[in-house]
Amino acid sequence: MVLYTEEQFRDTTRSPSWAAAAYDGRIRIPMRGALDQKPGELERVLTHELTHAMIRAIAPRGVPTWLNEGLAVLFEPDGTEWAATTLSGSTERIRSTSSPAASTT
């Protein structure tokens, strides 16, 4: 794990301003007053990035981004509650363009 100032983190990772950390084989975290953040934020970020590290160790050839990020959020403290709240507040869904039952071949 590498800890950076906010400026060092942005210069090194080229991550967007909303990124709380990055994983590229190393966990990289900007310590922008992490202890001054809301309680549990540092734990949430560390858990999220550690999940990325474990996924890479288990599946070194990679997994789809949606699965990688989905698992990282799921394992965050309160991740399942956040996902349920977010999904219940959204009316948008991904529609299947075809299904085996609809196939006419």
Side-chain angles (χ1 to χ4, degrees):
M1 178 181 350
V2 184
L3 306 177
Y4 296 96
T5 65
E6 184 75 25
E7 183 178 353
Q8 290 170 330
F9 177 76
R10 300 290 166 225
D11 288 347
T12 301
T13 65
R14 301 288 185 217
S15 295
S17 61
W18 51 261
Y23 179 74
D24 60 3
R26 289 188 177 162
I27 296 173
R28 300 176 187 276
I29 301 176
M31 295 305 295
R32 57 186 137 159
L35 300 177
D36 297 331
Q37 299 284 329
K38 65 182 180 180
E41 181 65 7
L42 182 58
E43 178 184 2
R44 183 194 70 78
V45 170
L46 289 173
T47 302
H48 185 101
E49 297 306 324
L50 182 58
T51 301
H52 288 311
M54 290 189 293
I55 290 169
R56 171 141 337 146
I58 293 168
R61 296 172 106 186
V63 297
T65 301
W66 63 266
L67 180 59
N68 199 335
E69 287 300 326
L71 288 171
V73 169
L74 177 70
F75 289 116
E76 290 176 9
D78 301 322
T80 55
E81 290 84 5
W82 175 86
T85 300
T86 301
L87 289 173
S88 69
S90 173
T91 59
E92 295 183 28
R93 299 290 183 261
I94 298 172
R95 295 185 182 172
S96 176
T97 55
S98 65
S99 67
S103 178
T104 58
T105 55

